[in-house]
Structure formats: C-alpha cells, structure tokens
Amino acid sequence: MSTLSETLPVIDLDVFLSQPTQSIRVQEECNKAADALITYGALLVHDSRVSEKDNDTFLDLIEDYFAQPMEDLQKDERPDIHYQVGVTLENTEKPKCAVDEPCLDIIANLDPAERPLDVSGHHPDPKCRFFWKMGTPPPYETEFPALNAPNVVPQAPGISEKWEFTMEKWGHSMKNAVENIAEMTAIGLGLPREFIKDAGKYGPHLLGPTASDLVKYGKKDTILAGFHTDLNCLTIHGRSRYPGLNIWARNTGKRIPVRFPPTGRYLLVQAGKQIEHLTGGLIKAGFHEVVVNEATLQVVERRKESHPNRPNIRISSTFFWHLSSDFELVPIPKLSERAHAFNPSQTANKHMTYERMKVGQQVQNELKHIALMA
C-alpha cells in the first residue's frame, strides 16, 4: 500500500518559513499548495516544528478521557450550544451525506470499487468527539455567541491537571501549521498573503479529536464516521494510532487510505466548505470517512500485545480551522471565474451557487444537516 507522500503533494513549510516570500522557491511551494487543494482537495505538510512526542502525549490523554464511564463523560456535554464545546457522545452526529442529494450524486458517479461504505441508512456515527476551542475571542460583539462559547475542562483526577496544557500545546502545533498553509494557499491563488489567515483571525477554531471504541465497534467494515466533508475552512490531522481514515481525491475520484510516511514530521490538510465557498468552488471540500478495515484490526491485535494496559480506542488527532463567525462569506470573483473554467472528471455539484452570508450562518446551516442543532 502506498503512503500519502506517494499520492498527495508534499508541501514543505520549512521552505516557506526560512526563505523570503518573494523568492522563487517559496512562490513555487505556494503554487504547489494551492494547486494541490484545487486538484486533490488535500495535501501533506512537512513541518519540522511538529513533535511526535506532543502528539503521543495528546493521544494518551484523549484515550484516558474516553475510557471513563459514560456518566462521567455526560457531565461534559453541552447540547444547549449545539455541542460546539465539550463532548459529543456516540450515536449523536449523523453523516450529512446520507440525506444530501449532491453528495449522493457524487457517490453514484464514483466507480463502484471506489465508493464509501454505505451511508444511506442515515444511522448516527458511533464515534465520540471532544471540542476544545482554540480561537481568539473577537474584540466586538459577535452575532453568533453559541459558536464562541467558553471551554469545558474535564474534572476527573489525573486528567484535569494536564488537560489544558496538553490540549493547548498540541493544538497550537497544528494551528500554526494550518495557518501557514492558509498563507501559502492565498499566495498561490494570487491573493494577498494574509487574506485567508486574516479572515480567520477570530475564527472559533477547534481541536476536535474523535474517539471510537474498538472493543464495542471493532467489527470489520463498521462505519465510525460516515462519508462527509468538513464545514470549516481547513482541517489538519496528525497521526492516529489506528488506520481507517479514507480520503477521496477530487481529480480522480479514487479512495486513498491515509497512511502517513513511517517517519518524519508530517500533517495532513483537507479543504472544508468555507474555503470552497470563498473560492466559488475552485477548491472543493474534501470527502472522507473513517471505517474499521483489515489494517485497523491488525493494529488492534499488535497493540493488545505491545500495550496491554492501554484502552483500545481509536483517536483522531484533528484540528478544525474556521473563518471568523462574523466574516462575510462571498466568493472571490476572479476565483469563481477560474472555477467555471475548471472541468475535473467529477463535477456532480458543479452548478452549485454560493450565496453571500455570514460564516456563522453557514456553520449553523451545516450543523442542522448533521443533527447537532435543531
């Protein structure tokens, strides 16, 4: 099986951070980043600032958190603010694609061998999630206070003492990397360097690990997170200990099992709905799913031997980077024109219109689709 570096472009943040913006090498790397998101909807990032130790510490903490009894986890639920901070327990969030006609059209147009596992039953995902807000509060009164709520800190002994430090440390590693990718993408699209980053200056960014109990939901072909796109601007992933994440390349419609290179400081970035809207569809939000496959089961067995005292819980190391809730989301005309000229092999929703709206309204619209908001 190939690794992501053999199937997706690798963007070198070290080049971007160490050389002048106007240098040919940086300009080439920025063009490569924008082209990767246009062509694939995803890219791999190499960033020497990223520490695997920080990711491991983070994964250990989240495993321990989700190994708690259900009644302890329920204390951290905040359904009154649409689960936008704290925990979302299993069988709450529904994959939007199951009832979304353009999404179902995309699945129908895929080669049968490349299609995701069935989502048509519209059963809620068995995964849990924790949202830890990592945005800067806006210095003005926001129209969307529920999307900018204060964080929830778990109270369990052994977890509460190290929670904030661990979440902030790993979260900032991914936030720094994805904001640099936002800058590089802007340059590659012919926009001012700070355009996308500034649009997300007061975004309600979320460190949002998911947790799937592989004892309870460890049967082969179990859908842990149904086929979907992310509603935010850019999503960045660190390594998970268990395989199972599949992404779809926009240009080929091929399913790509996410498998990081065995060594090296890499992160995976996917485009979300906000950057699709901003670019008028020139960049499309990337589809993905998380399932239990043969590779997942092999790692489960290996970890039972190598780490017999650790929980068998699949944690995703995921950060959702948002545009600011009060930012006016409207397609950039010159990018919309490029989108109309762009003709990839799959364009099931190429005639989609992107109406002017505040980002907070776009988020609320998407939350209704996935059953987190009434």
Side-chain angles (χ1 to χ4, degrees):
M1 185 188 293
S2 63
T3 65
L4 280 183
S5 60
E6 294 166 328
T7 49
L8 288 177
V10 179
I11 308 304
D12 194 342
L13 273 187
D14 295 354
V15 170
F16 179 69
L17 294 170
S18 64
Q19 298 188 24
T21 303
Q22 298 307 319
S23 71
I24 293 173
R25 184 76 179 85
V26 167
Q27 291 294 317
E28 288 175 345
E29 209 67 15
C30 291
N31 291 339
K32 187 177 170 186
D35 289 345
L37 291 179
I38 292 167
T39 305
Y40 298 93
L43 54 83
L44 201 61
V45 183
H46 178 262
D47 184 355
S48 292
R49 299 170 299 179
V50 171
S51 163
E52 283 297 319
K53 183 175 181 294
D54 289 347
N55 189 35
D56 283 336
T57 301
F58 168 76
L59 294 173
D60 283 343
L61 178 66
I62 304 301
E63 284 177 1
D64 290 340
Y65 173 77
F66 280 104
Q68 293 182 101
M70 189 64 71
E71 56 267 26
D72 290 338
L73 295 175
Q74 286 171 334
K75 296 173 186 175
D76 298 331
E77 280 188 298
R78 299 294 184 271
D80 52 312
I81 50 171
H82 326 307
Y83 302 94
Q84 287 307 287
V85 291
V87 75
T88 305
L89 295 177
E90 61 190 50
N91 300 314
T92 301
E93 189 174 331
K94 294 182 177 181
K96 174 187 172 184
C97 200
V99 291
D100 186 57
E101 194 169 334
C103 183
L104 294 173
D105 287 345
I106 285 173
I107 293 175
N109 287 330
L110 290 173
D111 183 288
E114 303 297 338
R115 288 176 185 164
L117 290 180
D118 181 47
V119 294
S120 58
H122 200 43
H123 300 296
D125 290 335
K127 70 175 187 298
C128 301
R129 188 194 297 283
F130 197 100
F131 274 156
W132 179 257
K133 199 60 66 66
M134 294 211 54
T136 301
Y140 48 80
E141 188 172 349
T142 176
E143 288 181 39
F144 306 95
L147 301 179
N148 294 272
N151 274 320
V152 174
V153 178
Q155 295 306 302
I159 292 175
S160 62
E161 303 90 338
K162 49 191 175 185
W163 185 265
E164 187 166 355
F165 176 81
T166 303
M167 298 294 272
E168 290 290 321
K169 190 169 189 193
W170 180 239
H172 276 293
S173 290
M174 293 206 285
K175 184 171 186 274
N176 290 338
V178 76
E179 287 187 339
N180 289 145
I181 289 296
E183 291 178 299
M184 294 180 76
T185 301
I187 293 169
L189 292 172
L191 303 171
R193 171 176 173 158
E194 302 293 330
F195 184 86
I196 299 173
K197 184 179 176 182
D198 281 354
K201 185 174 183 179
Y202 301 113
H205 314 304
L206 294 162
L207 180 57
T210 62
S212 303
D213 184 342
L214 295 176
V215 175
K216 192 173 180 181
Y217 299 109
K219 186 178 177 184
K220 189 172 182 289
D221 292 338
T222 298
I223 301 171
L224 302 175
F227 188 71
H228 67 286
T229 57
D230 291 337
L231 61 83
N232 51 297
C233 184
L234 294 168
T235 299
I236 187 163
H237 303 268
R239 294 176 194 268
S240 174
R241 288 173 172 159
Y242 297 89
L245 174 61
N246 295 320
I247 66 175
W248 274 260
R250 176 188 181 182
N251 61 329
T252 63
K254 298 290 186 186
R255 180 178 58 238
I256 302 173
V258 170
R259 194 164 160 267
F260 280 79
T263 58
R265 300 177 178 198
Y266 292 95
L267 299 163
L268 170 69
V269 172
Q270 276 201 291
K273 296 298 283 187
Q274 289 169 8
I275 199 167
E276 177 178 327
H277 200 125
L278 196 62
T279 62
L282 178 61
I283 294 172
K284 289 279 192 183
F287 281 95
H288 48 288
E289 69 175 0
V290 182
V291 298
V292 177
N293 56 29
E294 194 59 49
T296 319
L297 298 177
Q298 289 172 5
V299 174
V300 167
E301 292 307 310
R302 284 205 298 270
R303 282 190 64 84
K304 280 180 183 176
E305 293 184 12
S306 62
H307 296 79
N309 298 319
R310 295 299 303 163
N312 269 320
I313 301 175
R314 184 193 187 279
I315 306 298
S316 73
S317 184
T318 305
F319 186 99
F320 300 99
W321 193 83
H322 281 256
L323 300 181
S324 305
S325 301
D326 298 273
F327 179 77
E328 194 81 18
L329 196 55
V330 58
I332 298 163
K334 69 176 181 180
L335 300 183
S336 289
E337 290 171 15
R338 283 182 63 187
H340 290 309
F342 190 72
N343 188 28
S345 57
Q346 300 178 58
T347 51
N349 55 352
K350 64 183 175 183
H351 300 301
M352 185 170 177
T353 56
Y354 300 96
E355 298 174 10
R356 177 188 290 269
M357 67 179 73
K358 293 283 182 77
V359 167
Q361 185 59 55
Q362 174 262 341
V363 170
Q364 290 178 346
N365 293 347
E366 294 283 338
L367 291 176
K368 289 173 184 175
H369 278 293
I370 58 177
L372 294 185
M373 183 175 179

